[in-house]
Amino acid sequence: MPMDTKGISRNAGPLAQQALDSIHHASLKVLQETGLRVDCLDFHAPLAQAGALVARESRVVRFPPELVEHMLADLKSKIAGGRRQYLLNGVTNPRWTPPLGCKFGGACIEYLDPETQAVRTPNEQDLIRLLQLGEALDSVGFVGNPVACLVDANGHKVPGAMQRIKTAALVAKHTTKCGSTEVWNEQELEFLMEIGDIVRGGREAYRTAPCFVTAKETIAPLQFPAEDGRILLMLARYGLPCTIVPMPITGSTCPCSTAGNIVMANAEILGAMTCIHTAAPAASIGGGVISGIMDMSTGSACFATPEVLLQDAGLAQLYDSRYGQDLAIGTGYIDAKYPGTQALAEKATKMDMAARQGRMNFPVGLLAGGKRFSPVEAIIELEMADYIRRLATGINVTPDTLATEIIGEVGIGGEFLSHNHTLTQFRETLWRPQLLDRRMPTAMADERNTDILVPANEKLRAIWKRDDL
């Protein structure tokens, strides 16, 4: 398998080649025989002209396999020719090259206040502080809207029509790492593009490094809503990236099988991508997925189970190896409601699965299935991201690192701690965490006080006290 510069197999994943072929053909069969309900009428005429079967009354479109294959071949050729894919979404994890660092995003409607430990509606000051935090952290390279600006500085509810504009303006003012924000209609997009022009220094520079737009969703099973379709087509016509991200839930909105989840998600992505490509052939199109499963004992949609990791990894492998495309996966969503052991275990596992496929741009700070944002959780997850990136670097084997001369100098029964080689190399060789407690055991009370939540809160408070924020 081809390897990237960090030694990670770019085609790594849980599926054999035959399984990838089967999933691809099953997805085409779903699109041809069952179809996709396409509610945006602007797609119907171009699709019919291209050979799709469009049922006007039901709005169901059935796609000939050759139409979908043509779209995939065209996109693959453009990407191979140098077109960069921009998969702009604050909660998903694309590959990106070169790495951008971790991501602050999510438009969460709940904020876990680190001072009071209360969960509440986020306000303008919360958003500003989170933007400043993302700006201050070197390991964060993408800052969008970690919380939705639902309440202004005076305590008044922000009107729905102004929420996205106000959020983008605050992002532009408080960070240089502008990422994605929501866009709901064409009038909003015009304002967002104007803000982007100012941030980037002009319209062409903005198109080269777009911000203040995000992905839109299909609705499982097999529905492409009118509003999402119109926005994606609008983005295509402005020369901005179009990203479609389904959220299939195994056992609820898609079949109760891991492979069935992948087929459903893939059919929705391919169907939506074909709609956009047919109407706007020059469009920059990409996909992502935030899959889940239905917990049959609680009735809850869950986003950090083993099945979810396999579903996302399998679909990403299909896009990597067969379609020649990046795919953003739902690394940001976990099920834990508060920072702690469950959150740490779920997020570290999801990060590790993403890293195995070369996807290092981890979204951080999201709890409760993407509903809640916690700056303390973000601080902890950034440490986990450093840990996992260190694992991904592999082992550097050279004559210098083999250190045979150093071993000879120290000899049998010697020690390396005081050797000059250790003094000059330990900072580069040994990863040093800021939060994990590595001290020798002392008194039990003291040990309990070093739980990772304690130093994470201390680090957060220290950053927010800085004069330069």
Side-chain angles (χ1 to χ4, degrees), residues 115-440:
E115 301 298 331
T116 65
Q117 302 303 309
V119 176
R120 56 176 174 77
T121 300
N123 58 43
E124 181 175 340
Q125 186 58 33
D126 296 329
L127 176 58
I128 291 172
R129 294 188 82 192
L130 291 175
L131 296 173
Q132 292 173 334
L133 178 62
E135 178 71 13
L137 292 164
D138 291 339
S139 52
V140 174
F142 176 109
V143 180
N145 50 346
V147 295
C149 188
L150 302 179
V151 178
D152 67 18
N154 298 314
H156 301 140
K157 183 178 179 180
V158 178
M162 285 299 299
Q163 286 177 7
R164 275 75 61 192
I165 304 300
K166 186 174 184 64
T167 296
L170 290 170
V171 172
K173 181 177 181 179
H174 292 285
T175 181
T176 62
K177 307 171 183 178
C178 300
S180 58
T181 58
E182 289 290 328
V183 53
W184 284 10
N185 56 56
E186 188 167 8
Q187 186 176 18
E188 279 186 7
L189 180 60
E190 291 175 355
F191 283 116
L192 295 173
M193 289 176 67
E194 288 183 19
I195 298 172
D197 290 348
I198 296 169
V199 168
R200 300 301 192 213
R203 180 57 52 89
E204 288 308 310
Y206 173 67
R207 285 199 175 101
T208 301
C211 54
F212 306 133
V213 295
T214 190
K216 306 308 291 184
E217 300 80 29
T218 50
I219 298 177
L222 299 169
Q223 301 170 84
F224 190 14
E227 179 180 283
D228 297 85
R230 281 194 296 269
I231 292 171
L232 288 170
L233 186 55
M234 176 178 63
L235 292 171
R237 289 170 174 167
Y238 277 111
L240 294 171
C242 309
T243 310
I244 190 76
V245 179
M247 294 183 66
I249 307 299
T250 297
S252 174
T253 59
C254 71
C256 194
S257 70
T258 301
N261 181 290
I262 297 173
V263 169
M264 176 75 76
N266 193 42
E268 292 183 6
I269 296 170
L270 295 182
M273 289 172 67
T274 303
C275 289
I276 299 164
H277 183 266
T278 304
S284 176
I285 312 169
V289 67
I290 305 173
S291 73
I293 63 105
M294 178 62 66
D295 187 307
M296 298 301 173
S297 62
T298 64
S300 300
C302 300
F303 299 96
T305 70
E307 300 81 17
V308 170
L309 273 67
L310 289 169
Q311 288 162 181
D312 285 6
L315 190 60
Q317 183 187 0
L318 178 68
Y319 277 71
D320 286 342
S321 64
R322 186 174 183 116
Y323 301 159
Q325 298 185 39
D326 196 0
L327 184 94
I329 61 175
T331 310
Y333 279 20
I334 59 175
D335 302 321
K337 313 304 184 292
Y338 293 88
T341 304
Q342 180 180 343
L344 189 60
E346 289 179 343
K347 197 54 176 286
T349 306
K350 295 198 81 171
M351 284 180 174
D352 180 64
M353 180 64 88
R356 290 171 185 268
Q357 296 184 308
R359 290 171 167 79
M360 300 287 186
N361 308 114
F362 310 119
V364 297
L366 300 162
L367 296 166
K371 186 179 181 181
R372 182 177 303 167
F373 194 92
S374 164
V376 173
E377 179 66 20
I379 295 292
I380 295 171
E381 289 180 4
L382 288 171
E383 178 126 308
M384 292 303 98
D386 284 344
Y387 194 133
I388 289 166
R389 285 198 181 103
R390 177 64 184 88
L391 283 174
T393 60
I395 300 172
N396 183 28
V397 179
T398 68
D400 288 337
T401 62
L402 291 171
T404 52
E405 292 185 4
I406 306 302
I407 295 170
E409 289 176 15
V410 171
I412 298 170
E415 54 84 20
F416 292 85
L417 183 60
S418 61
H419 195 285
N420 187 60
H421 180 266
T422 300
L423 298 177
T424 59
Q425 294 296 316
F426 81 92
R427 293 182 185 276
E428 179 179 346
T429 301
L430 306 178
W431 178 70
R432 293 174 298 154
Q434 297 182 21
L435 306 180
L436 297 176
D437 182 13
R438 288 176 163 180
R439 297 176 300 169
M440 296 294 289

